[in-house]
Amino acid sequence: MNIVSWNVNSLKVRQSQVLEWLADQPATLLGLQELKQLDEAIDRETIEAAGYRVIANGQKTYNGVAWVYPAHWPEPTDVVTDIPGFEDPQRRVIAATFGDLRVINLYVVNGEAVGSEKYAYKLSWLEALTRWLAEEAGRYAKRVVVGDFNIAPTDADVHDPEAWRDRILCSTPERDALDRILETGLIDAFRLFDQPENAFSWWDYRQANFRRNRGLRIDLILISEALRDQARACRIDVEPRRWERPSDHAPVVLELDHGAPGS
């Protein structure tokens, strides 16, 4: 099976692209970020006609996350749509259990600029997230955390490390916060495998950044140690970024040697 993370930057605008991409990706569990839609506004009929179902935690205009999964799979259980104990009106989390897999989909706060109020909110949000992920580690052995983390883990994930030094998405406190998340028992699946240099998942729409490959790797798939031996590959599929009216993010795909739930 494949587990995928993709910030689509509006599901309404890019639903046809999502379904076109899924048509060539069997047995895929797809985590979407930035739906920018309320749950009731999602075109479930078209998604279901394509052989998938969706559980979502949506919000009008901003944020929103969802899991899209094959229609023949059993219904997910233990669905969570907020970080427990953290008061937050923004829709940034959806967790569910499929069989013995606990999957958590995140749209992490951007933070705007280092030192801003939104930056402080980002760091507090990440702190609360880390506490919750530590609790999840005690409940579920097989965990996958996907999402737009809005953090480039290291300088190797940045097209120009010096230009981004101490800026939002690359600042030391953000990277330290991501390290603490990994310390809850998670591994960056992308770095388990040999990867090409300058492999990025997000490129600003401006200044021909995609054509020039001036990007960042901020879309991550983290897995628990119990899944390490089942991970077969992890890649960034840049092709959808070449399509007309694309998202500014590309899908990240984890190939997992794991049976589909209910199979």
Side-chain angles (χ1 to χ4, degrees):
M1 65 181 294
N2 291 338
I3 301 178
V4 181
S5 181
W6 191 1
N7 179 324
V8 290
N9 191 18
S10 175
L11 181 58
K12 181 179 180 179
V13 172
R14 297 185 177 87
Q15 180 171 292
S16 62
Q17 294 186 8
V18 168
L19 296 178
E20 178 182 349
W21 189 84
L22 279 172
D24 296 323
Q25 308 285 334
T28 291
L29 175 59
L30 172 58
L32 299 176
Q33 301 92 37
E34 271 203 284
L35 305 183
K36 299 182 178 180
Q37 280 187 301
L38 293 170
D39 291 9
E40 54 267 31
I42 294 172
D43 181 4
R44 296 174 187 273
E45 183 176 347
T46 301
I47 294 171
E48 291 172 4
Y52 288 86
R53 287 185 285 185
V54 59
I55 56 170
N57 184 19
Q59 180 179 338
K60 187 177 180 179
T61 308
Y62 303 102
N63 308 318
V65 285
W67 283 111
V68 179
Y69 61 98
H72 66 273
W73 286 14
E75 288 286 334
T77 59
D78 306 326
V79 175
V80 173
T81 56
D82 292 285
I83 299 174
F86 187 76
E87 191 73 26
D88 189 7
Q90 299 188 21
R91 305 291 84 200
R92 296 182 173 276
V93 173
I94 189 162
T97 301
F98 291 89
D100 64 349
L101 280 178
R102 182 61 167 173
V103 293
I104 299 171
N105 180 12
L106 307 171
Y107 177 44
V108 174
V109 180
N110 175 277
E112 187 179 59
V114 172
S116 68
E117 289 185 9
K118 291 182 179 180
Y119 183 76
Y121 161 56
K122 180 177 190 174
L123 295 180
S124 65
W125 193 93
L126 288 166
E127 184 178 357
L129 172 68
T130 304
R131 289 195 297 268
W132 175 47
L133 292 178
E135 294 170 1
E136 291 282 285
R139 298 189 185 104
Y140 308 96
K142 296 184 176 182
R143 305 182 311 285
V144 182
V145 183
V146 313
D148 176 358
F149 276 73
N150 272 312
I151 303 170
T154 70
D155 284 355
D157 304 301
V158 182
H159 71 90
D160 186 342
E162 286 308 313
W164 283 86
R165 185 76 60 205
D166 295 324
R167 289 176 54 190
I168 194 68
L169 311 183
C170 300
S171 71
T172 298
E174 291 169 280
R175 287 177 168 175
D176 288 348
L178 179 57
D179 286 343
R180 287 190 288 273
I181 287 172
L182 295 172
E183 288 168 3
T184 67
L186 297 168
I187 306 160
D188 184 349
F190 189 76
R191 293 302 179 197
L192 289 176
F193 306 94
D194 291 335
Q195 301 292 353
E197 291 186 7
N198 300 317
F200 308 126
S201 64
W202 170 81
W203 305 259
D204 195 302
Y205 286 122
R206 298 168 294 182
Q207 300 177 332
N209 279 323
F210 177 66
R211 179 177 58 79
R212 300 163 68 193
N213 199 29
R214 294 171 57 84
L216 304 179
R217 187 176 73 95
I218 58 175
D219 301 272
L220 311 179
I221 298 180
L222 312 180
I223 61 173
S224 62
E225 188 65 42
L227 291 172
R228 178 193 287 265
D229 291 342
Q230 293 176 259
R232 292 291 172 258
C234 190
R235 59 187 172 84
I236 299 168
D237 185 356
V238 300
E239 184 59 31
R241 188 62 173 81
R242 299 188 177 104
W243 294 350
E244 186 176 354
R245 297 186 71 200
S247 170
D248 46 352
H249 295 252
V252 182
V253 183
L254 170 68
E255 298 177 18
L256 202 63
D257 186 13
H258 192 283
S263 62

